[in-house]
PDB file of all heavy atoms in Angstrom:
ATOM      1  N   MET A  19     -32.778 -59.098 -30.689  1.00 73.00           N
ATOM      2  CA  MET A  19     -31.419 -58.845 -30.299  1.00 73.00           C
ATOM      3  C   MET A  19     -31.426 -57.390 -29.784  1.00 73.00           C
ATOM      4  O   MET A  19     -30.266 -56.973 -29.562  1.00 73.00           O
ATOM      5  CB  MET A  19     -30.580 -58.919 -31.524  1.00 73.00           C
ATOM      6  CG  MET A  19     -30.431 -60.322 -32.063  1.00 73.00           C
ATOM      7  SD  MET A  19     -29.482 -60.491 -33.573  1.00 73.00           S
ATOM      8  CE  MET A  19     -27.786 -60.119 -32.905  1.00 73.00           C
ATOM      9  N   GLU A  23     -31.989 -48.819 -33.399  1.00 84.00           N
ATOM     10  CA  GLU A  23     -31.507 -47.751 -34.101  1.00 84.00           C
ATOM     11  C   GLU A  23     -30.281 -47.966 -34.823  1.00 84.00           C
ATOM     12  O   GLU A  23     -29.518 -48.686 -34.394  1.00 84.00           O
ATOM     13  CB  GLU A  23     -31.463 -46.455 -33.163  1.00 84.00           C
ATOM     14  CG  GLU A  23     -32.674 -46.035 -32.558  1.00 84.00           C
ATOM     15  CD  GLU A  23     -32.417 -44.665 -31.877  1.00 84.00           C
ATOM     16  OE1 GLU A  23     -31.347 -44.127 -31.824  1.00 84.00           O
ATOM     17  OE2 GLU A  23     -33.444 -44.220 -31.265  1.00 84.00           O
ATOM     18  N   THR A  24     -30.179 -47.431 -36.063  1.00 87.00           N
ATOM     19  CA  THR A  24     -28.979 -47.608 -36.768  1.00 87.00           C
ATOM     20  C   THR A  24     -27.745 -46.823 -36.367  1.00 87.00           C
ATOM     21  O   THR A  24     -27.923 -45.822 -35.786  1.00 87.00           O
ATOM     22  CB  THR A  24     -29.164 -47.256 -38.346  1.00 87.00           C
ATOM     23  OG1 THR A  24     -29.422 -45.893 -38.506  1.00 87.00           O
ATOM     24  CG2 THR A  24     -30.474 -48.051 -38.930  1.00 87.00           C
ATOM     25  N   LYS A  65     -36.570 -63.229 -49.432  1.00 90.00           N
ATOM     26  CA  LYS A  65     -37.666 -63.125 -50.284  1.00 90.00           C
ATOM     27  C   LYS A  65     -37.966 -64.443 -51.001  1.00 90.00           C
ATOM     28  O   LYS A  65     -38.868 -64.615 -51.664  1.00 90.00           O
ATOM     29  CB  LYS A  65     -37.690 -61.901 -51.207  1.00 90.00           C
ATOM     30  CG  LYS A  65     -37.614 -60.599 -50.493  1.00 90.00           C
ATOM     31  CD  LYS A  65     -37.297 -59.393 -51.364  1.00 90.00           C
ATOM     32  CE  LYS A  65     -37.285 -58.086 -50.566  1.00 90.00           C
ATOM     33  NZ  LYS A  65     -36.926 -56.896 -51.411  1.00 90.00           N
ATOM     34  N   SER A 222      -3.433 -43.078 -22.189  1.00 96.00           N
ATOM     35  CA  SER A 222      -2.261 -42.472 -21.438  1.00 96.00           C
ATOM     36  C   SER A 222      -1.078 -43.314 -21.840  1.00 96.00           C
ATOM     37  O   SER A 222      -1.312 -44.369 -22.517  1.00 96.00           O
ATOM     38  CB  SER A 222      -2.621 -42.619 -19.950  1.00 96.00           C
ATOM     39  OG  SER A 222      -3.067 -43.912 -19.557  1.00 96.00           O
ATOM     40  N   LYS A 245      -9.180 -57.071 -14.571  1.00 86.00           N
ATOM     41  CA  LYS A 245     -10.417 -57.872 -15.047  1.00 86.00           C
ATOM     42  C   LYS A 245     -10.747 -57.259 -16.448  1.00 86.00           C
ATOM     43  O   LYS A 245     -10.648 -56.235 -16.678  1.00 86.00           O
ATOM     44  CB  LYS A 245     -11.655 -57.357 -13.953  1.00 86.00           C
ATOM     45  CG  LYS A 245     -12.828 -58.169 -14.298  1.00 86.00           C
ATOM     46  CD  LYS A 245     -13.943 -57.904 -13.391  1.00 86.00           C
ATOM     47  CE  LYS A 245     -15.238 -58.544 -13.587  1.00 86.00           C
ATOM     48  NZ  LYS A 245     -16.363 -58.213 -12.636  1.00 86.00           N
ATOM     49  N   LYS A 265       1.340 -65.490 -15.141  1.00 95.00           N
ATOM     50  CA  LYS A 265       0.814 -66.731 -14.574  1.00 95.00           C
ATOM     51  C   LYS A 265       1.530 -67.058 -13.329  1.00 95.00           C
ATOM     52  O   LYS A 265       0.976 -67.341 -12.256  1.00 95.00           O
ATOM     53  CB  LYS A 265       0.616 -67.822 -15.568  1.00 95.00           C
ATOM     54  CG  LYS A 265      -0.575 -67.651 -16.585  1.00 95.00           C
ATOM     55  CD  LYS A 265      -0.641 -69.023 -17.306  1.00 95.00           C
ATOM     56  CE  LYS A 265       0.346 -68.968 -18.597  1.00 95.00           C
ATOM     57  NZ  LYS A 265       0.015 -69.885 -19.649  1.00 95.00           N
ATOM     58  N   ARG A 386      12.034 -36.557 -31.405  1.00 84.00           N
ATOM     59  CA  ARG A 386      12.870 -36.168 -32.460  1.00 84.00           C
ATOM     60  C   ARG A 386      14.388 -36.548 -32.131  1.00 84.00           C
ATOM     61  O   ARG A 386      15.073 -37.187 -33.086  1.00 84.00           O
ATOM     62  CB  ARG A 386      12.895 -34.710 -32.573  1.00 84.00           C
ATOM     63  CG  ARG A 386      11.557 -34.299 -33.302  1.00 84.00           C
ATOM     64  CD  ARG A 386      11.725 -32.665 -33.563  1.00 84.00           C
ATOM     65  NE  ARG A 386      10.443 -32.250 -34.093  1.00 84.00           N
ATOM     66  CZ  ARG A 386      10.277 -30.931 -34.489  1.00 84.00           C
ATOM     67  NH1 ARG A 386      11.190 -30.155 -34.384  1.00 84.00           N
ATOM     68  NH2 ARG A 386       9.083 -30.521 -34.993  1.00 84.00           N
TER      69      ARG A 386
END
Side-chain angles (χ1 to χ4, degrees):
M19 296 174 69
E23 295 190 357
T24 63
K65 299 177 182 179
S222 57
K245 186 178 180 182
K265 283 185 281 189
R386 290 187 178 181

